[in-house]
Amino acid sequence: MTTETVTSHQEPHLERQLSNRHIQLIAIGGAIGTGLFMGSGKTISAAGPSVIFVYMIIGFMLFFVMRAMGELLLSNLNYKSFSDFAADLLGPWAGFFTGWTYWFCWVITGIADVIAIAGYSKELWPGLPLWIPGLATIAILLLLNLTTVKAFGETEFWFALIKIIAIAALIVVGLFMIFSGFTSDAGPASFSNLWSHGGFFPNEFMGFVAGFQIAVFAFVGIELVGTTAAEAKDPEKNLPKAINSIPIRVLLFYVGALIILMSVTPWTQFQAGHSPFIAMFSLAGLGAAATIVNLVVLTSAMSSANSGIYSTSRMVYGLAQEGDAPGVFSRLSRRRVPQNALFLSCVLLLSGVVLMYAGSDIGKAFDMVTTVSAVCFVFVWSIILASHLSFRRRRPHLHDASKYRMPGGVPMVCVVFAFFAFVLWALTTQPDTLLALLVTPVWFILLGSAWFVLRRRPAHLARYSRFQAELAQEEASAVAREFEKVKK
């Protein structure tokens, strides 16, 4: 036991190099996905102006998931991510299923991003072979992530800043077009376009439901701030600040941008597969701005791929420490980054380059695969809430002492669970999303088979016991620190 303790102290640990500005912009970057720039056309065409309420409802519900995650991560600073508190509070199976499902989600999303980057690059540089931007993206992001975690934070900071500037520019240009009486072939730019083309619910209730099918995928990555917990400076201050600003981000970046888009151009003019952002700048006669937005969309896809490489490597690192992944992935480089886990993520992303040459139906295949990924994200969000319920029951003293409690308590958790059930029902109403929903259990069957083999292995049991001992030690230290504060 003594030897194990000494060894664990000698092993390098993840360093807290992500500052407040990094955490804030990573959280914003996670909340603003490529889905807003490219997928909002499909969402608007399906739901009409009611899409505004769709995004508000999803953002409202996911805020409580983030608050539950924040309370749990801050209850024990030895938690590296949500798979850690799931393993601790629900049992080792939950850590295994959550960690590997989250890893799977981001690998699939990352592969789709590599393909998207190649597609956007081809539009900007016609004749460019698809494999060049794909390989270049993976190589650049790998090098950035191999240096230090601060390099990842800086990269994501600037990626997120570019997205914020693009949305702010859209809102400013759109407001100018509305108040200056701009008129296009579709009619005058006016806020009345929101209700004068069939009202807020032109496609009735099922059109509103169809909006949830698509819009929920745009919020994938909102929980990314949770994977930075082990590398954030002053997490007790910076994580709550990032999570608390989620409602403002949703209102500004999603709702604000969509209101402007549908005011400048009636919702009936939007089409799936076409970026409303590029269309609006082109409509305003700003051709150069439309090209710039193409570059912003490219940057957004790179940001998502960067987040995928970071989060998958940290998740595999955490799983290896708990004995749920091969031990080779628990090793850190001299710069305190999990380089073996990073190499694994990038090797898997290379399959995206291969798939670009697999045939003309690859787009449809990836639509289905990313839908599967989004369904799995709903599973991860549900595990976070289930862990919070277990935390309240098993660690009432920590919940009572928490300075960052989830508002609404148990009733709000039940409301969010009911909302997730509604989202899953919504996915059954369309043939393509229904197929993806029916395919998803295959992943959990594979995971269950792997867990059945792994759970009784001595090496896994030993590593999990060490993981629990470290958590117990940190919890005892936290209690002692609080006692000292009260004493003073």
Side-chain angles (χ1 to χ4, degrees):
M1 187 70 185
T2 310
T3 310
E4 278 186 10
T5 307
V6 172
T7 306
S8 69
H9 283 300
Q10 288 176 344
E11 288 175 356
H13 295 283
L14 295 173
E15 285 192 336
R16 295 190 180 276
Q17 295 183 6
L18 296 176
S19 65
N20 177 48
R21 70 184 179 91
H22 293 139
I23 298 297
Q24 296 299 320
L25 271 291
I26 287 168
I28 291 172
I32 310 169
T34 314
L36 177 62
F37 291 103
M38 292 303 293
S40 51
K42 186 178 179 182
T43 318
I44 294 168
S45 64
S50 68
V51 73
I52 295 167
F53 304 115
V54 170
Y55 278 96
M56 288 176 72
I57 292 168
I58 297 172
F60 176 77
M61 294 297 177
L62 290 182
F63 170 67
F64 291 97
V65 177
M66 297 303 99
R67 283 296 302 258
M69 180 184 74
E71 181 178 352
L72 294 174
L73 287 172
L74 295 177
S75 71
N76 191 319
L77 294 182
N78 257 18
Y79 290 144
K80 293 176 289 299
S81 69
F82 34 83
S83 73
D84 278 358
F85 63 62
D88 181 36
L89 296 165
L90 299 176
W93 69 270
F96 180 83
F97 273 74
T98 305
W100 280 116
T101 299
Y102 193 68
W103 170 86
F104 171 72
C105 292
W106 271 111
V107 165
I108 294 297
T109 305
I111 291 170
D113 286 328
V114 168
I115 291 176
I117 288 164
Y120 300 144
S121 302
K122 196 175 180 182
E123 283 188 25
L124 291 165
W125 298 283
L128 184 72
L130 291 175
W131 63 268
I132 292 177
L135 281 181
T137 299
I138 295 168
I140 291 166
L141 296 181
L142 175 62
L143 289 173
L144 285 170
N145 278 273
L146 277 175
T147 50
T148 60
V149 68
K150 191 175 180 182
F152 161 77
E154 282 297 324
T155 307
E156 201 55 34
F157 174 86
W158 290 106
F159 278 161
L161 199 60
I162 289 168
K163 289 191 274 190
I164 291 167
I165 292 168
I167 294 170
L170 174 118
I171 291 171
V172 170
V173 171
L175 285 171
F176 176 77
M177 293 168 77
I178 292 166
F179 290 114
S180 65
F182 176 85
T183 302
S184 67
D185 293 339
S190 168
F191 287 117
S192 63
N193 283 329
L194 292 171
W195 58 81
S196 60
H197 296 270
F200 275 101
F201 295 86
N203 293 330
E204 299 180 338
F205 179 69
M206 291 313 294
F208 182 60
V209 169
F212 283 94
Q213 292 176 330
I214 309 155
V216 74
F217 308 146
F219 285 86
V220 161
I222 198 171
E223 74 301 309
L224 182 65
V225 69
T227 62
T228 66
E231 294 169 288
K233 289 179 182 176
D234 196 4
E236 289 159 318
K237 177 183 176 184
N238 293 332
L239 286 180
K241 198 181 288 184
I243 292 168
N244 286 343
S245 59
I246 284 173
I248 298 167
R249 286 185 219 123
V250 170
L251 285 173
L252 178 62
F253 299 127
Y254 282 96
V255 178
L258 291 170
I259 287 173
I260 294 297
L261 286 169
M262 289 185 289
S263 297
V264 171
T265 309
W267 72 270
T268 51
Q269 302 296 310
F270 291 94
Q271 295 177 349
H274 297 275
S275 173
F277 283 72
I278 297 171
M280 200 196 87
F281 282 115
S282 299
L283 195 65
L286 302 171
T291 303
I292 291 167
V293 173
N294 254 319
L295 286 169
V296 170
V297 175
L298 180 66
T299 303
S300 180
M302 284 195 72
S303 170
S304 181
N306 191 38
S307 300
I309 288 173
Y310 173 83
S311 56
T312 52
S313 63
R314 268 52 181 187
M315 197 57 75
V316 171
Y317 168 76
L319 287 165
Q321 283 207 318
E322 294 162 29
D324 291 338
V328 68
F329 297 120
S330 67
R331 294 174 193 164
L332 296 178
S333 68
R334 283 181 296 179
R335 294 178 181 271
R336 306 295 176 91
V337 295
Q339 61 180 22
N340 292 338
L342 279 168
F343 284 129
L344 173 67
S345 298
C346 288
V347 166
L348 290 168
L349 288 188
L350 286 173
S351 61
V353 178
V354 176
L355 285 169
M356 279 185 276
Y357 296 92
S360 58
D361 290 334
I362 196 66
K364 286 186 178 179
F366 265 90
D367 281 345
M368 192 186 78
V369 170
T370 49
T371 303
V372 171
S373 174
V375 173
C376 290
F377 269 107
V378 172
F379 168 79
V380 171
W381 297 334
S382 300
I383 287 288
I384 291 171
L385 291 176
S387 299
H388 186 264
L389 291 177
S390 178
F391 171 73
R392 292 173 64 97
R393 188 179 69 255
R394 294 179 57 189
R395 314 271 166 80
H397 59 291
L398 290 180
H399 173 66
D400 292 339
S402 175
K403 295 174 184 174
Y404 191 63
R405 290 190 202 177
M406 173 194 161
V410 176
M412 199 62 229
V413 172
C414 296
V415 169
V416 181
F417 272 135
F419 171 71
F420 287 158
F422 164 76
V423 169
L424 292 178
W425 168 76
L427 293 173
T428 66
T429 62
Q430 295 295 323
D432 53 347
T433 51
L434 174 60
L435 179 61
L437 192 63
L438 294 174
V439 167
T440 305
V442 174
W443 167 251
F444 292 103
I445 291 168
L446 290 172
L447 271 187
S449 303
W451 174 246
F452 184 77
V453 173
L454 179 73
R455 65 194 178 105
R456 291 181 181 172
R457 286 190 173 178
H460 163 77
L461 294 171
R463 280 199 291 266
Y464 184 71
S465 296
R466 188 169 62 191
F467 162 73
Q468 284 187 307
E470 287 171 358
L471 291 179
Q473 187 176 3
E474 171 58 31
E475 188 178 325
S477 300
V479 170
R481 286 195 297 270
E482 286 299 318
F483 179 72
E484 285 298 319
K485 282 182 188 176
V486 172
K487 223 173 147 185
K488 287 177 182 177

